[in-house]
Structures are given as structure tokens and as C-alpha cells.
């Protein structure tokens, strides 16, 4: 145990920067990763206070780190480069596979739109892609119903607008 906090490991710095870019608080990021915000903070700070000014180093288990990375949009390559190939491998199992070369052209076409490479959109896209197809359809259905002005051609008509017979 040490009175001075240890330097956070590279993967913790990576998570902290990614959360900041995505404009997520520790609480929001932790919720996305299905963990407590206290545990999130311990991992990204690299230590846990144990009383009387004493701090002990904290390193995330690979599975926890992979969930945290997925929550803030950190890639498996970034985890690998930060020295956590164990978590990178698990993240690859959690995340959908990268697009094929055919679909990459289609994906690149959207990147030049008005939002470019917005980290919020990237995080939402990654989160949506991690859901089962039925859940993805439900999210998209709800978005279409909630914001019909955004895409009127995809929105369901309100019950009073539906025609019968």
C-alpha cells in the first residue's frame, strides 16, 4: 500500500480519454458497462483508497475492461496497443465483426455527412450493433415513432392518422 496514488495504467488512460471524447460522465459510462460508478473510477484512476490516505493499485480483469471499452467506443486494437491483448480478445467476442470491404464503402459514404465522425454517433452505432437483431429493430422502431419529423418516410403514422378500409 502507498500513500501516493499510482499512475493509472495505459488502458485506464485510454478509457478515460474515450469517455471524455464521448462526453460521458463516469456514472454514465459505468452504467453503459453495467458496473458501479465507484468501480469505474477505481479502474480509470488506477487505484482504490483504503483509508488513512492509503491507496492500492487497481487493474481491471480482462472481461471488465472489455465491457468498459465497449461502453465508450475503445477498439480491440487500442486495447492491444495499450498492453491488454487479453481484454482485446474478449472485446472482439463482444463486438460485431468489422465490416467487409463491400460494406466499408457504404459506411464511408455516411462519414462525410453533416455529422462526420461524431463520437456520439459512433458510440450509439457500436451500442446498437451489440444488441440482438430484434432489439435493434425495436430501437429503430421507437426512434422512428419518437421523431417522425426526422425521417417521415420511415415513421409509422399516429393511430389517428391511420386509415381503415
Amino acid at each position: 500500500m502507498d500513500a501516493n496514488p499510482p499512475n493509472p495504467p495505459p488502458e485506464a488512460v485510454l478509457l478515460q480519454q474515450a469517455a471524455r471524447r464521448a462526453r460521458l460522465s463516469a456514472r454514465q459510462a459505468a452504467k453503459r458497462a453495467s458496473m458501479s460508478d465507484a468501480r469505474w473510477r477505481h479502474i480509470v484512476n488506477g487505484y482504490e483508497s483504503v483509508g488513512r490516505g492509503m491507496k492500492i493499485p487497481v487493474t481491471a480483469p480482462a472481461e471488465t475492461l472489455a465491457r468498459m471499452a465497449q461502453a465508450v467506443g475503445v477498439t480491440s486494437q487500442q486495447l492491444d496497443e495499450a498492453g491488454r491483448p487479453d481484454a482485446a480478445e474478449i472485446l472482439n467476442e463482444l463486438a460485431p465483426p468489422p465490416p467487409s470491404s463491400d460494406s466499408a464503402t457504404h459506411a464511408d459514404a455516411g462519414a462525410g455527412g453533416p455529422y462526420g465522425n461524431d463520437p456520439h454517433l459512433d458510440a450509439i452505432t457500436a451500442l446498437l450493433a451489440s444488441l440482438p437483431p430484434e432489439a435493434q429493430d425495436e430501437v429503430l422502431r421507437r426512434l422512428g415513432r419518437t421523431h417522425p419529423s426526422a425521417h417521415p418516410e420511415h415513421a409509422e403514422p399516429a393511430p389517428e392518422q391511420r386509415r381503415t378500409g
Side-chain angles (χ1 to χ4, degrees):
M1 292 193 285
D2 192 344
N4 295 320
N7 290 329
E11 68 270 17
V13 174
L14 183 65
L15 290 169
Q16 207 166 31
Q17 292 171 344
R20 191 175 303 122
R21 277 192 307 275
R23 297 183 181 181
L24 293 170
S25 67
R27 179 172 286 156
Q28 291 167 321
K31 185 175 179 181
R32 285 184 178 189
S34 300
M35 62 193 304
S36 73
D37 55 316
R39 182 71 174 145
W40 178 279
R41 284 187 188 92
H42 294 157
I43 291 169
V44 298
N45 290 332
Y47 68 90
E48 179 178 353
S49 295
V50 292
R52 296 186 182 182
M54 302 300 285
K55 298 173 182 359
I56 57 171
V58 172
T59 302
E63 184 177 344
T64 301
L65 184 58
R67 284 188 294 116
M68 293 173 76
Q70 185 180 44
V72 295
V74 169
T75 67
S76 58
Q77 181 179 353
Q78 290 171 310
L79 283 176
D80 196 33
E81 290 169 359
R84 291 299 303 266
D86 55 341
E89 187 175 328
I90 293 171
L91 180 59
N92 281 332
E93 294 169 9
L94 295 176
S100 67
S101 58
D102 295 342
S103 61
T105 305
H106 178 69
D108 291 343
Y115 298 103
N117 289 323
D118 184 314
H120 293 100
L121 294 178
D122 294 342
I124 292 167
T125 302
L127 183 61
L128 186 61
S130 70
L131 295 173
E134 303 81 12
Q136 290 178 16
D137 291 343
E138 179 62 17
V139 168
L140 295 173
R141 184 191 67 77
R142 289 182 186 185
L143 286 172
R145 177 176 282 170
T146 305
H147 302 291
S149 61
H151 299 286
E153 69 277 11
H154 297 297
E156 291 182 33
E160 63 274 4
Q161 293 175 331
R162 291 187 183 133
R163 295 182 186 214
T164 55

Short mmCIF file of all heavy atoms in Angstrom, two decimals, residues 114-143:
data_model
loop_
_atom_site.label_atom_id
_atom_site.label_comp_id
_atom_site.label_asym_id
_atom_site.label_seq_id
_atom_site.Cartn_x
_atom_site.Cartn_y
_atom_site.Cartn_z
N PRO A 114 -23.23 15.42 -42.54
CA PRO A 114 -23.12 16.60 -41.69
C PRO A 114 -22.53 16.31 -40.31
O PRO A 114 -22.05 17.22 -39.65
CB PRO A 114 -24.56 17.10 -41.58
CG PRO A 114 -25.40 15.91 -41.87
CD PRO A 114 -24.61 15.08 -42.84
N TYR A 115 -22.52 15.06 -39.87
CA TYR A 115 -22.00 14.74 -38.54
C TYR A 115 -20.62 14.11 -38.58
O TYR A 115 -20.03 13.84 -37.55
CB TYR A 115 -22.98 13.83 -37.79
CG TYR A 115 -24.30 14.51 -37.59
CD1 TYR A 115 -25.39 14.18 -38.38
CD2 TYR A 115 -24.45 15.52 -36.66
CE1 TYR A 115 -26.60 14.83 -38.23
CE2 TYR A 115 -25.65 16.17 -36.50
CZ TYR A 115 -26.73 15.82 -37.29
OH TYR A 115 -27.91 16.46 -37.14
N GLY A 116 -20.09 13.87 -39.79
CA GLY A 116 -18.73 13.33 -39.92
C GLY A 116 -18.51 12.14 -39.03
O GLY A 116 -19.29 11.21 -39.01
N ASN A 117 -17.44 12.16 -38.27
CA ASN A 117 -17.11 11.07 -37.36
C ASN A 117 -17.44 11.48 -35.93
O ASN A 117 -16.59 11.47 -35.05
CB ASN A 117 -15.63 10.70 -37.48
CG ASN A 117 -15.34 10.01 -38.79
OD1 ASN A 117 -16.14 9.24 -39.27
ND2 ASN A 117 -14.20 10.30 -39.37
N ASP A 118 -18.68 11.84 -35.68
CA ASP A 118 -19.13 12.26 -34.36
C ASP A 118 -19.01 11.10 -33.38
O ASP A 118 -19.55 10.02 -33.60
CB ASP A 118 -20.59 12.71 -34.47
CG ASP A 118 -21.13 13.27 -33.17
OD1 ASP A 118 -20.91 12.65 -32.11
OD2 ASP A 118 -21.78 14.32 -33.22
N PRO A 119 -18.27 11.29 -32.27
CA PRO A 119 -18.09 10.18 -31.32
C PRO A 119 -19.40 9.72 -30.69
O PRO A 119 -19.54 8.55 -30.33
CB PRO A 119 -17.14 10.75 -30.26
CG PRO A 119 -17.17 12.22 -30.44
CD PRO A 119 -17.56 12.49 -31.86
N HIS A 120 -20.38 10.60 -30.58
CA HIS A 120 -21.68 10.18 -30.03
C HIS A 120 -22.34 9.17 -30.98
O HIS A 120 -22.86 8.15 -30.54
CB HIS A 120 -22.62 11.38 -29.86
CG HIS A 120 -22.17 12.34 -28.81
ND1 HIS A 120 -21.51 13.51 -29.11
CD2 HIS A 120 -22.27 12.29 -27.47
CE1 HIS A 120 -21.23 14.14 -28.00
NE2 HIS A 120 -21.66 13.43 -26.98
N LEU A 121 -22.31 9.50 -32.28
CA LEU A 121 -22.91 8.59 -33.25
C LEU A 121 -22.14 7.27 -33.30
O LEU A 121 -22.76 6.21 -33.42
CB LEU A 121 -22.94 9.23 -34.64
CG LEU A 121 -23.85 10.45 -34.78
CD1 LEU A 121 -23.77 11.01 -36.18
CD2 LEU A 121 -25.28 10.10 -34.43
N ASP A 122 -20.82 7.35 -33.20
CA ASP A 122 -20.02 6.12 -33.19
C ASP A 122 -20.38 5.27 -31.97
O ASP A 122 -20.51 4.04 -32.09
CB ASP A 122 -18.53 6.45 -33.17
CG ASP A 122 -18.06 7.12 -34.46
OD1 ASP A 122 -18.78 7.04 -35.47
OD2 ASP A 122 -16.98 7.73 -34.44
N ALA A 123 -20.53 5.88 -30.81
CA ALA A 123 -20.86 5.14 -29.59
C ALA A 123 -22.25 4.52 -29.70
O ALA A 123 -22.47 3.37 -29.33
CB ALA A 123 -20.77 6.04 -28.37
N ILE A 124 -23.20 5.29 -30.23
CA ILE A 124 -24.57 4.77 -30.39
C ILE A 124 -24.58 3.63 -31.39
O ILE A 124 -25.23 2.61 -31.18
CB ILE A 124 -25.53 5.90 -30.81
CG1 ILE A 124 -25.69 6.89 -29.66
CG2 ILE A 124 -26.88 5.35 -31.26
CD1 ILE A 124 -26.36 8.19 -30.04
N THR A 125 -23.86 3.80 -32.49
CA THR A 125 -23.80 2.76 -33.50
C THR A 125 -23.20 1.48 -32.92
O THR A 125 -23.71 0.38 -33.15
CB THR A 125 -22.97 3.23 -34.71
OG1 THR A 125 -23.57 4.42 -35.23
CG2 THR A 125 -22.89 2.18 -35.80
N ALA A 126 -22.12 1.61 -32.15
CA ALA A 126 -21.49 0.44 -31.54
C ALA A 126 -22.44 -0.23 -30.56
O ALA A 126 -22.55 -1.46 -30.53
CB ALA A 126 -20.20 0.83 -30.84
N LEU A 127 -23.14 0.58 -29.78
CA LEU A 127 -24.08 0.02 -28.82
C LEU A 127 -25.23 -0.69 -29.53
O LEU A 127 -25.61 -1.81 -29.18
CB LEU A 127 -24.63 1.12 -27.91
CG LEU A 127 -25.58 0.69 -26.81
CD1 LEU A 127 -24.89 -0.29 -25.86
CD2 LEU A 127 -26.07 1.89 -26.04
N LEU A 128 -25.77 -0.06 -30.57
CA LEU A 128 -26.86 -0.66 -31.33
C LEU A 128 -26.40 -1.97 -31.97
O LEU A 128 -27.13 -2.96 -31.93
CB LEU A 128 -27.35 0.32 -32.41
CG LEU A 128 -28.57 -0.10 -33.21
CD1 LEU A 128 -29.78 -0.29 -32.30
CD2 LEU A 128 -28.88 0.92 -34.28
N ALA A 129 -25.19 -1.98 -32.51
CA ALA A 129 -24.67 -3.19 -33.16
C ALA A 129 -24.47 -4.32 -32.16
O ALA A 129 -24.49 -5.49 -32.55
CB ALA A 129 -23.36 -2.88 -33.87
N SER A 130 -24.30 -4.00 -30.88
CA SER A 130 -24.09 -5.05 -29.88
C SER A 130 -25.40 -5.72 -29.46
O SER A 130 -25.38 -6.74 -28.79
CB SER A 130 -23.38 -4.48 -28.65
OG SER A 130 -24.25 -3.63 -27.93
N LEU A 131 -26.53 -5.14 -29.84
CA LEU A 131 -27.84 -5.70 -29.47
C LEU A 131 -28.25 -6.81 -30.44
O LEU A 131 -27.85 -6.79 -31.60
CB LEU A 131 -28.91 -4.60 -29.51
CG LEU A 131 -28.77 -3.46 -28.52
CD1 LEU A 131 -29.82 -2.39 -28.81
CD2 LEU A 131 -28.90 -3.96 -27.11
N PRO A 132 -29.08 -7.72 -29.99
CA PRO A 132 -29.63 -8.73 -30.90
C PRO A 132 -30.50 -8.05 -31.96
O PRO A 132 -31.03 -6.95 -31.73
CB PRO A 132 -30.48 -9.63 -30.02
CG PRO A 132 -30.29 -9.18 -28.62
CD PRO A 132 -29.54 -7.90 -28.62
N PRO A 133 -30.65 -8.66 -33.13
CA PRO A 133 -31.42 -8.03 -34.22
C PRO A 133 -32.82 -7.56 -33.81
O PRO A 133 -33.25 -6.49 -34.22
CB PRO A 133 -31.50 -9.12 -35.28
CG PRO A 133 -30.32 -10.00 -35.02
CD PRO A 133 -30.09 -9.94 -33.54
N GLU A 134 -33.51 -8.35 -32.97
CA GLU A 134 -34.86 -7.94 -32.56
C GLU A 134 -34.82 -6.66 -31.75
O GLU A 134 -35.68 -5.79 -31.89
CB GLU A 134 -35.54 -9.04 -31.72
CG GLU A 134 -35.65 -10.38 -32.40
CD GLU A 134 -34.36 -11.22 -32.32
OE1 GLU A 134 -33.44 -10.87 -31.56
OE2 GLU A 134 -34.29 -12.22 -33.04
N ALA A 135 -33.84 -6.53 -30.89
CA ALA A 135 -33.70 -5.33 -30.07
C ALA A 135 -33.31 -4.14 -30.94
O ALA A 135 -33.78 -3.02 -30.72
CB ALA A 135 -32.68 -5.54 -28.96
N GLN A 136 -32.45 -4.37 -31.94
CA GLN A 136 -32.09 -3.30 -32.87
C GLN A 136 -33.34 -2.78 -33.58
O GLN A 136 -33.54 -1.57 -33.68
CB GLN A 136 -31.09 -3.79 -33.92
CG GLN A 136 -29.72 -4.08 -33.38
CD GLN A 136 -28.78 -4.62 -34.45
OE1 GLN A 136 -29.06 -4.51 -35.65
NE2 GLN A 136 -27.68 -5.19 -34.02
N ASP A 137 -34.18 -3.71 -34.06
CA ASP A 137 -35.41 -3.31 -34.74
C ASP A 137 -36.31 -2.49 -33.82
O ASP A 137 -36.91 -1.51 -34.24
CB ASP A 137 -36.16 -4.55 -35.24
CG ASP A 137 -35.45 -5.25 -36.38
OD1 ASP A 137 -34.56 -4.63 -37.00
OD2 ASP A 137 -35.78 -6.42 -36.64
N GLU A 138 -36.40 -2.90 -32.56
CA GLU A 138 -37.24 -2.19 -31.60
C GLU A 138 -36.72 -0.78 -31.36
O GLU A 138 -37.49 0.19 -31.32
CB GLU A 138 -37.34 -2.96 -30.29
CG GLU A 138 -38.17 -2.28 -29.22
CD GLU A 138 -39.63 -2.07 -29.60
OE1 GLU A 138 -40.15 -2.70 -30.55
OE2 GLU A 138 -40.28 -1.23 -28.95
N VAL A 139 -35.41 -0.63 -31.20
CA VAL A 139 -34.82 0.71 -31.00
C VAL A 139 -35.12 1.59 -32.21
O VAL A 139 -35.56 2.73 -32.07
CB VAL A 139 -33.30 0.61 -30.75
CG1 VAL A 139 -32.64 1.98 -30.84
CG2 VAL A 139 -33.02 -0.03 -29.40
N LEU A 140 -34.88 1.05 -33.40
CA LEU A 140 -35.13 1.84 -34.62
C LEU A 140 -36.61 2.17 -34.77
O LEU A 140 -36.97 3.27 -35.20
CB LEU A 140 -34.60 1.09 -35.84
CG LEU A 140 -33.08 0.92 -35.85
CD1 LEU A 140 -32.64 0.02 -37.00
CD2 LEU A 140 -32.37 2.25 -35.91
N ARG A 141 -37.48 1.23 -34.40
CA ARG A 141 -38.92 1.49 -34.47
C ARG A 141 -39.28 2.63 -33.53
O ARG A 141 -40.00 3.55 -33.90
CB ARG A 141 -39.71 0.23 -34.09
CG ARG A 141 -41.24 0.41 -34.24
CD ARG A 141 -42.00 -0.75 -33.62
NE ARG A 141 -41.85 -0.82 -32.16
CZ ARG A 141 -42.50 -0.02 -31.31
NH1 ARG A 141 -43.30 0.91 -31.73
NH2 ARG A 141 -42.31 -0.15 -30.01
N ARG A 142 -38.75 2.58 -32.31
CA ARG A 142 -39.05 3.63 -31.33
C ARG A 142 -38.52 4.98 -31.78
O ARG A 142 -39.16 6.01 -31.58
CB ARG A 142 -38.47 3.28 -29.96
CG ARG A 142 -39.22 2.14 -29.29
CD ARG A 142 -38.65 1.88 -27.93
NE ARG A 142 -39.26 0.71 -27.32
CZ ARG A 142 -38.99 0.33 -26.08
NH1 ARG A 142 -38.13 1.00 -25.34
NH2 ARG A 142 -39.58 -0.74 -25.59
N LEU A 143 -37.35 5.00 -32.34
CA LEU A 143 -36.79 6.27 -32.83
C LEU A 143 -37.65 6.84 -33.96
O LEU A 143 -37.88 8.03 -34.01
CB LEU A 143 -35.35 6.09 -33.31
CG LEU A 143 -34.31 5.91 -32.22
CD1 LEU A 143 -32.97 5.56 -32.83
CD2 LEU A 143 -34.20 7.17 -31.38
#
